[in-house]
Amino acid sequence: MGTPEFAVETLQALVENEYNVVAVVTQPDKPVGRHGSVLQPSQVKQYALEHGLPVLQPEKMKDPEFVEQLRSYQANLQVVVAFRMLPEVVWAMPEYGTFNVHAALLPQYRGAAPINWAVINGETETGVTTFFLDHDIDTGRIIMKKPFPIPDDADVEYVYDGLMHLGAQLCLETLEAILAADGFPVSIPQNSVLDGSVIKPAPKIFKETCEIDWTKTAKQVYDFVRGLSPVPGAWTTLIAPDGKETVLKIYKSRKTDRKGQGRGVLTTDGKALYISAGDALLEILELQLAGKKRMSARDFLNGMKSIELYHVKKSSSAI
């Protein structure tokens, strides 16, 4: 059960290792195009059809017709990767239960966007976890974990790709453990690994989530930018001398220890572009103005005059 590219890697691993995948469950085709007249299948569906696998696309997971159809496949086990919350009638159906491949080291970063939030929060390590589903989201008994280091210059795309491959590998190891234990591998409750630490959430990311708060430190803004790059992209509002506002996305930046002249002020030394954060200047390396293509800061400067007269709006939202 899965939808995006992240889930395809695991499905491919199951197929190539000759597991008997009796069916694939994914989201309904998504309307795309100017008028929404074209239906785009998920990447999981595309892979499934290419390999002759039956595909189920329920609108609602509790739909009786879907539940009975799913039951007819008599699966021993269900594997979930980057999908949606399942009702008990679905996750409790197979004799060996249902396990999820989650892109974080649970119990940290439960939620829809664990990869983004790990980078945004400046973590130096994340990983993947397999766990059995239960009533609450991302809270079930942990089966296995694998860590993954996050370099200081890595963006979310780098971490996504790494965890995608690591998750497929961990899925296979988890399957082997489940089979060896006849469906009852060693698993531990998440509360037993908390050690009194504060749980960091990973809620779904919306457009307003991605607005940069320039009152934060340069390090915080730097992590925020790479935690949203390249998709959906951190953004700010550029204000011209005449008061005109334009959305500016920032894809790549660099920390500096140089002090700024006020939060949100743009400066240049003739070669590089800087925006002052709460404690220092942040060098902007790659950006995109609304309606324009992504470009280097140097190209941006070549097309702008009197950059020091511009500034960015300070967001009131917290990172």
Side-chain angles (χ1 to χ4, degrees):
M1 298 184 179
T3 297
E5 176 194 19
F6 193 92
V8 175
E9 189 75 15
T10 297
L11 176 57
Q12 181 177 336
L14 295 173
V15 171
E16 292 182 351
N17 284 273
E18 300 183 346
Y19 282 94
N20 182 22
V21 181
V22 294
V24 171
V25 183
T26 190
Q27 295 277 42
D29 294 356
K30 185 178 180 180
V32 295
R34 186 172 182 181
H35 303 291
S37 56
V38 178
L39 293 178
Q40 176 69 42
S42 73
Q43 289 164 300
V44 162
K45 179 180 178 179
Q46 292 177 51
Y47 180 89
L49 293 179
E50 289 169 2
H51 292 80
L53 301 174
V55 177
L56 309 181
Q57 296 178 273
E59 291 282 351
K60 296 181 180 179
M61 299 301 292
K62 290 183 179 180
D63 178 67
E65 184 177 342
F66 160 70
V67 172
E68 287 310 307
Q69 188 178 13
L70 184 64
R71 198 186 308 277
S72 71
Y73 287 101
Q74 299 181 325
N76 303 103
L77 180 70
Q78 291 173 161
V79 180
V80 179
V81 187
F83 195 46
R84 57 207 280 193
M85 191 170 180
L86 305 182
E88 183 175 3
V89 67
V90 172
W91 59 255
M93 188 183 295
E95 60 178 313
Y96 290 170
T98 301
F99 76 83
N100 183 280
V101 180
H102 186 73
L105 296 175
L106 291 174
Q108 295 297 346
Y109 297 107
R110 296 168 176 162
I115 305 176
N116 298 94
W117 287 108
V119 180
I120 288 171
N121 289 336
E123 302 287 0
T124 58
E125 182 182 75
T126 184
V128 286
T129 304
T130 52
F131 68 96
F132 283 115
L133 266 65
D134 64 11
H135 293 91
D136 298 316
I137 190 165
D138 297 340
T139 59
R141 294 178 67 88
I142 292 172
I143 310 168
M144 290 183 173
K145 288 185 182 183
K146 273 188 181 292
F148 182 83
I150 305 177
D152 184 64
D153 61 348
D155 61 17
V156 77
E157 184 175 44
Y158 171 90
V159 182
Y160 179 99
D161 289 343
L163 295 185
M164 181 172 66
H165 296 293
L166 192 64
Q169 180 184 341
L170 188 63
C171 174
L172 295 179
E173 293 179 16
T174 300
L175 281 170
E176 291 171 7
I178 290 173
L179 291 173
D182 196 26
F184 296 95
V186 174
S187 61
I188 59 173
Q190 292 191 30
N191 288 340
S192 68
V193 296
L194 279 176
D195 298 327
S197 56
V198 176
I199 294 180
K200 299 173 185 177
K204 187 175 181 179
I205 289 180
F206 299 94
K207 180 182 177 180
E208 55 269 25
T209 312
C210 304
E211 184 178 7
I212 299 170
D213 181 358
W214 294 102
T215 66
K216 298 294 183 178
T217 66
K219 171 67 165 64
Q220 286 176 306
V221 178
Y222 169 79
D223 290 335
F224 189 74
V225 167
R226 65 193 183 98
L228 295 168
S229 180
V231 176
W235 63 273
T236 190
T237 303
L238 182 66
I239 304 177
D242 61 2
K244 184 179 179 181
E245 298 186 358
T246 308
V247 171
L248 176 71
K249 281 192 174 184
I250 299 176
Y251 294 100
K252 193 173 182 180
S253 63
R254 181 186 292 137
K255 294 169 290 183
T256 79
D257 56 6
R258 297 171 56 184
K259 299 300 180 182
Q261 300 298 317
R263 294 165 184 169
V265 175
L266 278 69
T267 58
T268 181
D269 56 9
K271 297 179 180 180
L273 172 66
Y274 305 91
I275 301 180
S276 54
D279 64 338
L281 292 176
L282 187 73
E283 183 180 354
I284 310 303
L285 301 176
E286 293 182 22
L287 49 80
Q288 181 180 22
L289 282 169
K292 305 290 184 181
K293 293 182 179 180
R294 181 171 169 172
M295 67 183 80
S296 68
R298 182 180 290 267
D299 288 342
F300 172 77
L301 287 171
N302 288 339
M304 301 289 285
K305 294 180 179 179
S306 305
I307 194 68
E308 290 86 351
L309 298 179
Y310 289 76
H311 66 281
V312 295
K313 185 182 289 186
K314 291 179 225 140
S315 167
S316 58
S317 60
I319 295 177

